[in-house]
């Protein structure tokens, strides 16, 4: 069902970390609404590109409505997220990057 969803709502993890579901949303190519992501990843996710940031439930609902009504925006975000997962999060790509960094 996740892959058939246009929009996913993320929650931050413990101590403000990126929630574990975020990677699943990227892999599924969802447009994402999330509280601001403060913890840095190897390749940072960018507010407005990979997700829309919300600060309260009302703003979250408003941003979800915006993404549902703007098909081009949500599809573009979904495509960017799918590519980000494939190039940065997918285990083989992630391991390759770690090994390259370790032996550089």
């Amino acid at each position: 069902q996740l892959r058939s969803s246009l929009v996913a709502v993320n929650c931050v993890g413990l101590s403000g970390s990126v929630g574990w579901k975020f990677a699943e949303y990227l892999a599924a190519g969802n447009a994402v609404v999330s509280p601001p992501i403060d913890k840095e990843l190897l390749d940072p996710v960018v507010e407005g590109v990979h997700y829309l940031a919300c600060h309260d439930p009302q703003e979250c609902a408003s941003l979800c409505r915006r993404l549902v009504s703007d098909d081009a925006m949500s599809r573009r975000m979904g495509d960017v997220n799918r590519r980000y997962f494939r190039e940065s999060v997918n285990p083989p790509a992630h391991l390759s990057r770690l090994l390259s960094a370790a032996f550089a």
Side-chain angles (χ1 to χ4, degrees), residues 1-19:
Q1 289 180 336
L2 184 60
R3 291 181 193 265
S4 66
S5 299
L6 186 61
V7 178
V9 176
N10 183 55
C11 297
V12 294
L14 297 174
S15 302
S17 65
V18 178

Side-chain angles (χ1 to χ4, degrees), residues 91-103:
H94 184 70
L95 182 59
S96 175
R97 290 173 53 107
L98 289 174
L99 290 173
S100 294
F103 294 107

Side-chain angles (χ1 to χ4, degrees), residues 8 15 19-20 38 61-62 65 68 73 96 103:
S15 302
W20 62 273
D38 297 328
S62 175
R65 281 191 294 274
V68 168
M73 179 185 203
S96 175
F103 294 107

Side-chain angles (χ1 to χ4, degrees), residues 7-97:
V7 178
V9 176
N10 183 55
C11 297
V12 294
L14 297 174
S15 302
S17 65
V18 178
W20 62 273
K21 295 288 285 182
F22 194 79
E24 291 183 22
Y25 302 149
L26 295 172
N30 297 119
V32 180
V33 176
S34 174
I37 296 175
D38 297 328
K39 305 295 181 186
E40 190 170 316
L41 303 173
L42 283 176
D43 285 333
V45 291
V46 179
E47 182 180 339
V49 176
H50 298 101
Y51 73 101
L52 297 180
C54 63
H55 299 89
D56 57 55
Q58 292 78 19
E59 186 178 20
C60 178
S62 175
L63 291 172
C64 287
R65 281 191 294 274
R66 178 177 166 198
L67 286 167
V68 168
S69 66
D70 188 341
D71 191 56
M73 179 185 203
S74 57
R75 296 284 174 206
R76 187 171 48 253
M77 185 179 289
D79 291 343
V80 166
N81 287 344
R82 195 176 295 108
R83 185 172 44 256
Y84 179 94
F85 178 84
R86 189 175 54 249
E87 295 173 1
S88 300
V89 180
N90 191 32
H94 184 70
L95 182 59
S96 175
R97 290 173 53 107

